């Protein structure tokens, strides 16, 4: 099989990029793992989130803002072409605080970032009473919140399904159960899969989530990514209880309350634990006491795909020109720029964004 | 947290027999069951219902008191009404009792959670008034409640047992709509020699059929095109049998085409399972003592593959022997000596299975439902949607779950899991083993956030 | 609710008052709640949050979650609960119906 782009990894990152390239008329083959492989795209929290991103690197804040600003249009296009809506709500989101000190601290940091962003960082601080007007179920322990108007949330599974459907519709090849074990470049690129499948490609994108840690070095990347576990809970479907999302809880379009997430350095152990689950439940009840009576229906652990500084990595291989590493922690938030803007960078067009700060040059040689 | 030598989940014949065997060998045993009283499915509530309705339910039912009474033992702690929802390494078992979460710990765990009725997705099966035949039997056993105008639909010995019990209670079903064919019968005869070793079951079966016939309950065999009609509740069953279309008005429809292992607890621990072609279901891979590939975790009874109540009891005892040996309470020689007798009895019980499995195969149109039929009751996902996921590249149920929510509801896939695996396997032309099953995670049953949060301060220290 | 229930009861047990969606009912003390409601002629226990379709007990063994009802603000399986006097029982998730 021969193709313009072979994309390794069919998670939200690989599929977003594949979608963007197909829309520009490129031939694309996506190679994806099997039913049980680690898939952050299947276990995430679904926030399209701006606040707190890029506190030390304003370019990342801007990149996130850019994506958030074109997300609705991107979702509309997907809905038009697939006939399935990708639920998205962008009416702001909260950072909830249980103490005045942490609230003040965060506000100061946001002010600093806002200055670096020429004032484009629309947030406001709500005291307990103001917050209660917006969120009648908020509990007395919440002293206040930062409401950031560029935040929102989506249904990440509908996004994943819509991308998979549309990639097929546009003639992309989406091959599942194909674990790429080797990439070589005798002339063009040759990809070999565990089952013997071979794909020839002019260019290769490595967007295999955690799988990039193994394949990356073979392709000339540092690929310094690690797993970080996040446990997530979801309740039975409930009537409207939460208006806007926060990092603690959000009400999904189907009605369940999603509660998340832990941050644990436990390697590739993606199980849920009693302490993880009970801690999340306690936090959620502190924020919204009515949740004490809600039934937890499911919980899961998913592994974040993290770089050392938490920022995305966009890097062309020096050893194998034409091979690109594309990976990030916030693949839902960044789906819109990955689909609509990143292809310019991959194709080297005039409109290519400057992504230098996201290159691997920032990581010391190890 | 209280610690035991052995924790047993499920107080059916397997769990009860294992509890007593282990306690007799000196082990401290905790037995958890979500039911308020011991018995499991076959002996459900036997201590209360046996004296009142023993004549209707039969001797095979009342025999259960032997096992429930044996639970009165110093070293057995039976925690009733305890819904187990998590097993963690070490092993720590979390359960809910009276609206509160609690934990016990044990060196070894025996999962004896029995069977579930095989999902039977047919058009209209989600309507009020449609229940499993087992549900009909539970209503009778536990509550003395009978459906006035019921039709039984499906196949299998349990269908006849329940019909006969309804006859004896004075409220026979309106009809039996049976899906097995004469060809199934003929095929089953290949296994007749084994079946003859289990001749007692065949005699019992014939007696049940005689009771049903005597009560003039119409039997329609080889039924196809089965649907349940009704707008807000079940009003009639329609089907074709021997070339003729039928419609039977009724208030209640009892569905049944066999039982399958309830694998939720074992799967939540990552125990390896394999597809069993003969029983069209997954069962855990076990050593001859019932131990899984997760050391210290055992499975016995119908949860390990459908064998019936007597065999469940023997398997439970075998597991208890192995646990006692590994805990240093019983020498290997003595274990093996005691096991011999149990294995002989177990083989005798198993002998009739191949005949039964072949004579009463699952209903084909419920194994591969039509596109429009709902297969995930909780999230209302149809068979057609699952097939469309296969076209999007879904090789297994976990990606399909992410795409379409099947298996995400409160029943956690108990009544759609096997169907989804079968649909994807057929659509992708792969085996059921390659297709796999839902990843099962705690909580095995929903639990309130309040209960979870209440454990928060103690969890790290415990 | 139907004037005659599709189910009949063999035993006579002392009854206690409860309410289902505000309607008073007398159910047998200590009986299985799902069974008792069925005998009392309740044929819809809840409507699904997905499509609003009516549902009633299916498995009676705690596995299918079709018998969900709300008691004291907590959604529970009726087939796993015994009847006690004064229970205030409601269809589960009914406040959803306006929202769907
Ligand atoms: C708990 C949690 C909460 C999160 N919350 C949010 C949030 O609210 N908002 C947000 O924007 N982001 C969030 N994220 C992050 C987001 O989910 C990820 O950034 C995104 O899913 C990464 O997508 P991916 O495609 O890179 O990786 P994955 O989804 O992991 O996909 C990688 C794919 O590559 C395949 N693969 C791996 N190796 C190979 C190989 N050798 N050959 C072929 N295929 C291979 C795998 O099969 C897999 O399908 C969260 C993540 C977690 C874990
Ligand atoms: C509805 C039904 C009716 C049946 N009726 C008959 C019959 O009349 N005659 C017959 O020969 N066979 C019958 N069977 C077949 C039955 O599976 C076996 O006969 C026998 O009961 C199997 O014994 P067991 O010990 O393996 O499991 P079971 O008897 O099924 O016992 C399992 C126990 O585990 C408990 N349990 C499960 N999950 C949990 C959890 N998470 N937490 C706490 N407890 C849990 C259950 O409450 C149950 O009491 C029936 C099966 C079903 C499903
Ligand atoms: S009827 Fe199935 S859980 Fe109650």
């Amino acid at each position: 099989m021969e193709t313009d782009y072979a994309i390794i990894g069919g998670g939200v990152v690989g599929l977003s990029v594949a979608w963007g390239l197909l829309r520009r008329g490129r031939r694309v083959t996506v190679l994806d793992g099997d039913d049980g492989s680690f898939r952050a795209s299947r276990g995430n929290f679904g926030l399209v989130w701006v606040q707190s991103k890029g506190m030390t690197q304003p370019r990342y804040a801007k990149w996130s803002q850019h994506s958030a600003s074109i997300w609705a249009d991107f979702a509309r296009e997907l809905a038009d072409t697939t006939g399935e809506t990708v639920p998205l709500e962008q009416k702001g989101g909260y950072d909830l605080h249980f103490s005045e000190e942490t609230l003040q601290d965060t506000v100061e940091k946001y002010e600093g970032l806002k200055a670096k962003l020429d004032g484009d960082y629309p947030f406001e601080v709500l005291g307990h009473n103001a917050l209660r007007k917006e969120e009648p179920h908020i509990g007395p322990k919440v002293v206040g919140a930062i409401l950031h108007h560029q935040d929102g949330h989506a249904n990440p599974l509908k996004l994943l399904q819509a991308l998979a459907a549309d990639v097929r519709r546009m003639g992309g090849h989406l091959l599942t159960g194909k674990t790429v074990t080797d990439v070589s470049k005798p002339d063009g690129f040759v990809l070999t899969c565990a089952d013997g499948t071979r794909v020839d490609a002019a260019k290769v994108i490595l967007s295999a989530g955690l799988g990039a840690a193994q394949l990356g070095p073979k392709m000339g990347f540092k690929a310094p990514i690690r797993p970080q576990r996040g446990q997530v809970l979801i309740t039975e479907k409930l009537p409207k209880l939460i208006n806007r999302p926060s990092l603690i809880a959000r009400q999904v379009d189907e009605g369940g309350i999603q509660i998340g997430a832990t941050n644990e350095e436990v390697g590739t152990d993606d199980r849920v634990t009693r302490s993880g689950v009970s801690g999340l439940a306690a936090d959620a009840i502190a924020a919204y006491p009515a949740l004490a009576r809600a039934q937890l229906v499911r919980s899961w652990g998913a592994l974040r795909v993290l770089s050392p500084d938490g920022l995305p990595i966009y890097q062309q291989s020096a050893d194998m020109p034409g091979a690109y590493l594309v990976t990030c922690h916030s693949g839902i938030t960044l789906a819109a720029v990955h689909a609509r803007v990143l292809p310019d960078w991959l194709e080297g067009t005039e409109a290519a964004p400057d992504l230098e700060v996201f290159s691997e040059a920032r990581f010391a040689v190890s | 947290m209280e610690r035991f030598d052995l924790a047993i989940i499920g107080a059916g014949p397997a769990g009860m027999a294992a509890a007593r065997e282990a306690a007799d060998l000196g082990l401290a045993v905790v037995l958890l069951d979500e039911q308020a009283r011991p018995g499991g499915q076959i002996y459900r509530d036997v201590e209360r219902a046996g004296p009142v309705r023993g004549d209707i339910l039969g001797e095979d039912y009342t025999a259960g008191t032997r096992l429930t009474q044996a639970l009165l033992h110093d070293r057995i702690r039976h925690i009733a009404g305890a819904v187990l929802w998590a097993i963690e390494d070490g092993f720590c078992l979390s359960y809910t009792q009276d609206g509160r979460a609690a934990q016990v710990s044990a060196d070894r765990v025996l999962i004896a959670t029995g069977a579930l009725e095989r999902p039977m997705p047919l058009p209209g099966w989600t309507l009020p008034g449609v229940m499993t035949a087992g549900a009909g039997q539970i209503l009778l056993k536990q509550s003395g409640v009978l459906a006035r105008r019921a039709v039984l639909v499906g196949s299998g010995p349990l269908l006849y047992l329940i019909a006969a019990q309804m006859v004896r209670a004075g409220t026979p079903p309106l009809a039996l709509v049976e899906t097995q064919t004469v060809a199934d019968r003929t095929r089953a005869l290949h296994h007749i020699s084994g079946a003859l070793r289990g001749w007692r079951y065949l005699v019992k079966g014939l007696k049940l059929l005689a009771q049903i016939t005597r009560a003039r309950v119409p039997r329609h065999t080889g039924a196809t095109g089965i649907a349940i009609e009704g707008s807000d509740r079940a009003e009639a069953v329609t089907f074709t049998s021997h070339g003729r279309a039928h419609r039977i008005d009724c208030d209640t429809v009892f569905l049944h085409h066999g039982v399958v292992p309830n694998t939720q607890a074992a799967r939540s621990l990552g125990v390896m399972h394999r597809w069993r072609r003969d029983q069209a279901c997954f069962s855990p891979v076990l050593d001859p003592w019932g131990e899984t590939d997760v050391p210290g975790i055992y499975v016995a009874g119908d949860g390990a593959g459908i064998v019936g109540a007597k065999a469940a009891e023997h398997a439970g005892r075998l597991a208890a022997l192995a646990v006692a040996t590994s805990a240093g309470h019983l020498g290997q020689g003595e274990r093996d000596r005691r096991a011999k007798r149990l294995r002989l009895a177990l083989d005798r019980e198993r002998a009739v299975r191949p005949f039964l499995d072949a004579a009463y195969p699952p209903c084909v149109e419920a194994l591969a439902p039509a596109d429009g039929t709902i297969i995930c009751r909780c999230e209302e996902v149809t068979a057609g949607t699952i097939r469309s996921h296969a076209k999007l590249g879904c090789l297994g149920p976990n990606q399909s779950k992410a795409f379409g929510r099947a298996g995400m509801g409160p029943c956690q896939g108990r009544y759609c899991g096997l169907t989804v695996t079968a649909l994807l396997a057929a659509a992708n032309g792969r085996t059921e083993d390659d297709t796999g099953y839902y990843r099962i995670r705690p909580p095995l049953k929903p639990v309130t956030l309040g209960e979870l949060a209440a454990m928060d301060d103690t969890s790290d220290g415990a | 609710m139907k004037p005659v229930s599709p189910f009949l009861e063999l035993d006579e047990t002392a009854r206690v008052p409860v309410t289902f969606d505000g309607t008073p009912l007398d159910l047998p003390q200590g009986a299985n709640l799902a069974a008792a409601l069925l005998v009392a002629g309740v044929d819809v226990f809840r409507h699904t949050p997905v499509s609003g379709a009516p549902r009633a007990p299916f498995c009676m063994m705690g596995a299918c979650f079709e018998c969900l009802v709300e008691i004291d603000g907590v959604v529970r399986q009726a087939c796993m609960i015994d009847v006690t006097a004064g229970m205030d029982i409601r269809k589960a998730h009914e406040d959803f119906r306006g929202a769907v």
Side-chain angles (χ1 to χ4, degrees):
Chain A
M1 193 184 301
E2 213 194 298
T3 183
D4 295 336
Y5 281 90
I7 298 185
I8 308 173
V12 73
V13 173
L15 288 175
S16 298
V17 176
W19 185 87
L21 290 167
L22 283 159
R23 241 170 117 259
R24 291 163 192 243
R26 298 289 166 268
R27 292 177 304 161
V28 174
T29 298
V30 180
L31 298 145
D32 195 27
D34 56 35
D35 194 54
S37 56
F38 296 125
R39 288 165 192 264
S41 305
R42 219 152 66 179
N44 65 75
F45 205 60
L47 298 177
V48 175
W49 211 246
V50 168
Q51 67 169 311
S52 80
K53 297 278 169 69
M55 298 305 294
T56 53
Q57 178 46 270
R59 178 73 185 97
Y60 182 37
K62 275 198 175 155
W63 187 233
S64 302
Q65 285 175 319
H66 186 178
S67 200
S69 70
I70 59 174
W71 227 100
D73 196 55
F74 166 59
R76 210 169 301 126
E77 185 179 348
L78 272 177
D80 286 347
T81 52
T82 62
E84 300 269 354
T85 50
V86 178
L88 169 74
E89 209 175 62
Q90 289 181 301
K91 46 182 199 186
Y94 303 113
D95 182 21
L96 301 176
H97 286 266
F98 295 96
S99 95
E100 294 288 354
E101 290 84 68
T102 63
L103 179 59
Q104 272 322 311
D105 261 17
T106 314
V107 169
E108 272 163 38
K109 283 188 198 140
Y110 282 15
E111 290 292 356
L113 181 59
K114 184 172 183 169
K116 289 184 200 150
L117 295 170
D118 304 325
D120 176 20
Y121 206 62
F123 72 91
E124 58 184 298
V125 181
L126 304 182
H128 178 82
N129 291 338
L131 179 58
R132 206 178 175 97
K133 286 212 184 79
E134 302 289 318
E135 301 289 335
H137 290 281
I138 207 80
K141 289 185 186 156
V142 181
V143 300
I146 302 176
L147 168 59
H148 197 298
H149 294 287
Q150 291 172 329
D151 288 337
H153 60 147
N155 183 323
L157 300 180
K158 289 270 168 62
L159 169 66
L160 193 66
Q161 188 190 4
L163 285 170
D166 222 26
V167 160
R168 296 221 156 197
R169 188 190 58 83
M170 290 192 282
H173 295 281
L174 174 49
L175 308 177
T176 45
K178 304 282 175 197
T179 301
V180 177
T181 49
D182 198 41
V183 178
S184 60
K185 197 185 178 194
D187 202 359
F189 284 95
V190 179
L191 286 74
T192 317
C193 300
D195 68 354
T197 306
R198 178 193 145 121
V199 175
D200 295 322
K203 289 184 168 186
V204 178
I205 296 169
L206 179 58
S207 53
L210 291 173
Q214 285 99 54
L215 272 181
K218 293 187 192 175
M219 298 167 66
F221 298 110
K222 293 175 190 151
I225 50 174
R226 70 171 199 282
Q228 184 193 62
R229 181 168 71 192
Q231 301 187 42
V232 180
L233 317 181
I234 192 147
T235 69
E236 63 188 316
K237 297 182 166 79
L238 294 168
K240 197 75 188 157
L241 196 116
I242 297 180
N243 197 9
R244 292 194 184 94
S246 71
L247 295 167
I248 294 179
R250 70 183 188 108
Q251 188 153 19
V252 305
D253 54 295
E254 289 105 347
I257 309 270
Q258 194 171 0
I259 298 163
T262 59
N263 296 77
E264 302 163 274
E265 303 292 338
V266 290
T268 54
D269 178 352
D270 71 345
R271 290 181 294 181
V272 296
T273 64
R274 197 159 29 105
S275 57
V277 168
S278 57
L280 289 173
D283 286 352
I285 292 170
Y288 303 95
L291 287 178
R293 290 170 160 190
Q295 298 278 359
L296 168 68
V297 171
R298 276 179 296 128
S299 68
W300 63 87
L303 302 177
R304 296 184 183 85
V305 184
L306 274 189
S307 65
D309 56 8
L311 269 54
I313 304 175
Y314 306 118
Q315 174 73 51
Q316 181 166 191
S317 170
D319 301 358
M320 285 190 186
Y324 301 84
L325 173 61
V326 175
T327 184
C328 72
H329 165 52
S330 291
I332 305 306
T333 305
L334 298 180
V337 278
H338 286 166
R340 289 193 163 172
V341 183
L342 201 68
D344 282 314
W345 177 75
L346 293 165
E347 297 267 276
T349 71
E350 302 246 301
D354 178 4
L355 299 176
E356 195 46 40
V357 297
F358 301 120
S359 80
E360 286 195 329
R362 69 190 198 264
F363 307 121
V365 198
S366 53
Chain B
M1 203 188 305
E2 217 176 327
R3 192 158 186 99
F4 294 85
D5 297 317
L6 173 64
I8 301 177
I9 309 147
M16 291 190 293
R20 181 56 190 249
E21 190 79 29
D24 281 342
L25 291 167
L27 278 76
V29 179
V30 62
L31 173 61
L32 301 169
D33 196 297
E34 61 185 323
Q35 292 295 329
R37 287 162 294 272
Q41 297 313 341
I42 176 161
Y43 308 129
R44 161 81 69 135
D45 224 353
V46 62
E47 293 188 338
R48 283 211 311 189
V52 202
R53 280 183 287 285
D55 48 340
I56 295 173
L57 297 169
E59 277 172 20
D60 284 347
Y61 175 71
T62 49
T65 48
R66 181 178 45 88
L67 287 169
T68 57
Q69 278 159 13
L71 294 180
L72 297 172
H73 189 291
D74 286 349
R75 279 188 294 275
I76 299 177
R77 184 141 153 250
H78 174 203
I79 308 183
V83 182
L84 172 96
W85 48 264
I87 307 173
E88 288 178 277
D89 286 352
F91 295 100
C92 171
L93 290 78
S94 298
Y95 63 94
T96 291
Q97 190 189 31
D98 295 331
R100 295 184 62 152
Q103 279 90 35
V104 291
S105 69
D107 296 338
R108 290 166 189 80
V109 178
L110 173 62
I111 296 171
T113 49
L116 296 171
E117 277 171 280
R118 183 190 295 283
M120 199 163 168
L122 293 171
W125 76 310
T126 54
L127 286 169
V130 182
M131 306 176 91
T132 68
Q137 196 197 30
I138 291 169
L139 282 171
L140 176 59
K141 281 180 184 167
Q142 187 173 25
S143 307
V145 166
L146 281 151
R148 294 176 201 267
R149 298 171 63 239
V151 175
L152 289 169
V153 179
S155 73
L158 217 52
L159 202 67
Y160 299 135
L161 172 62
I162 294 161
Q165 286 170 337
M166 292 177 75
V167 167
R168 292 199 287 257
T171 314
L174 300 180
L176 257 67
V177 177
E178 302 176 32
T179 54
Q180 85 284 348
T181 61
V182 178
D184 295 328
R185 255 302 157 86
T186 317
R187 247 192 311 277
L189 289 177
H190 295 309
H191 304 285
I192 194 69
S193 62
L196 289 176
R197 279 173 61 211
W199 59 272
R200 270 182 250 97
Y201 285 96
L202 297 185
V203 172
K204 273 184 199 166
L206 290 174
K207 275 193 189 151
L208 293 178
L209 277 174
Q211 285 175 13
I212 295 165
T213 314
R214 223 175 305 130
R216 298 181 191 283
V217 178
R219 289 180 57 200
H220 306 273
T221 56
T224 56
I226 304 167
I228 296 123
E229 293 187 352
S231 46
D232 286 339
R233 54 166 297 115
E235 287 161 15
V237 179
T238 58
F239 59 95
T240 302
S241 165
H242 303 293
R244 273 190 49 206
H246 295 260
R247 181 193 158 93
I248 306 176
D249 290 334
C250 60
D251 293 330
T252 308
V253 180
F254 289 131
L255 301 176
H256 179 87
H257 64 152
V259 295
V260 293
N262 173 3
T263 58
Q264 303 288 117
R267 285 204 181 266
S268 76
L269 289 158
V271 164
M272 189 192 325
H273 285 69
R274 282 233 179 286
W275 182 258
R276 284 189 54 173
R277 198 146 299 283
D278 55 342
Q279 299 195 333
C281 62
F282 284 106
S283 61
V285 177
L286 304 173
D287 79 359
W289 301 97
E291 192 169 12
T292 67
D293 61 337
V294 179
I297 299 287
Y298 295 74
V299 185
D302 271 3
I306 303 308
V307 286
K310 284 271 171 54
E313 197 180 323
H314 303 318
R317 288 188 206 283
L318 274 176
L321 293 180
V323 167
T325 300
S326 74
H329 285 256
L330 181 70
Q332 276 194 18
E334 183 57 18
R335 176 196 67 181
D336 294 348
R337 200 185 60 77
R338 293 188 189 205
K340 212 174 230 163
R341 184 181 50 83
L342 289 169
R343 288 197 200 284
L344 277 175
L346 197 54
D347 285 346
R348 214 164 34 239
E349 294 297 325
R350 283 184 179 144
V352 71
R353 279 288 138 194
F355 173 78
L356 292 180
D357 292 338
Y360 301 103
C363 164
V364 177
E365 53 198 60
L367 287 184
D371 277 351
T373 305
I374 286 180
I375 56 109
C376 167
R377 301 173 60 100
C378 298
E379 296 288 341
E380 301 181 53
V381 182
T382 63
T385 301
I386 302 296
R387 292 188 179 106
S388 78
H389 293 159
K391 292 206 185 86
L392 286 181
C394 291
L395 295 175
N398 293 301
Q399 191 72 357
S400 159
K401 176 177 172 178
F403 279 2
R405 303 190 58 83
M408 281 195 183
C411 99
Q412 295 164 337
R414 286 173 175 82
Y415 285 104
C416 70
L418 289 175
T419 313
V420 170
T421 295
L423 288 171
L424 290 175
N428 289 318
R430 302 169 87 218
T431 65
E432 287 82 358
D433 278 326
D434 286 342
T435 303
Y437 195 78
Y438 292 133
R439 166 106 185 243
I440 303 298
R441 303 218 186 225
L444 296 173
K445 293 237 170 157
V447 43
T448 64
L449 292 177
E451 284 173 57
L452 290 171
M455 308 183 330
D456 188 35
D457 355 298
T458 53
S459 55
D460 284 333
Chain C
M1 251 171 257
K2 287 199 164 186
V4 180
S5 162
F7 294 89
L8 65 88
E9 206 173 4
L10 297 175
D11 309 346
E12 282 291 326
T13 320
R15 286 173 187 267
V16 291
V18 305
T19 57
F20 183 80
D21 272 349
T23 310
L25 295 174
D26 285 326
L27 302 183
Q29 162 88 41
N32 179 279
L33 178 61
L37 288 173
L38 287 172
V39 174
V42 173
D43 58 3
V44 174
F45 278 48
R46 66 187 186 104
H47 294 86
T48 64
V50 179
S51 74
R55 292 288 169 89
F58 177 69
C59 75
M60 288 301 293
M61 55 183 282
C64 74
F65 294 80
E66 295 291 17
C67 63
L68 294 178
V69 291
E70 192 180 308
I71 299 172
D72 297 330
V74 178
V75 170
R76 301 173 65 188
Q77 296 168 289
C79 74
M80 301 296 286
I81 307 177
D82 291 347
V83 173
T84 55
M87 274 181 161
D88 172 15
I89 311 151
R90 298 180 178 274
K91 293 200 187 86
H93 304 134
E94 204 62 1
D95 24 11
F96 245 109
R97 296 195 78 195
V100 178

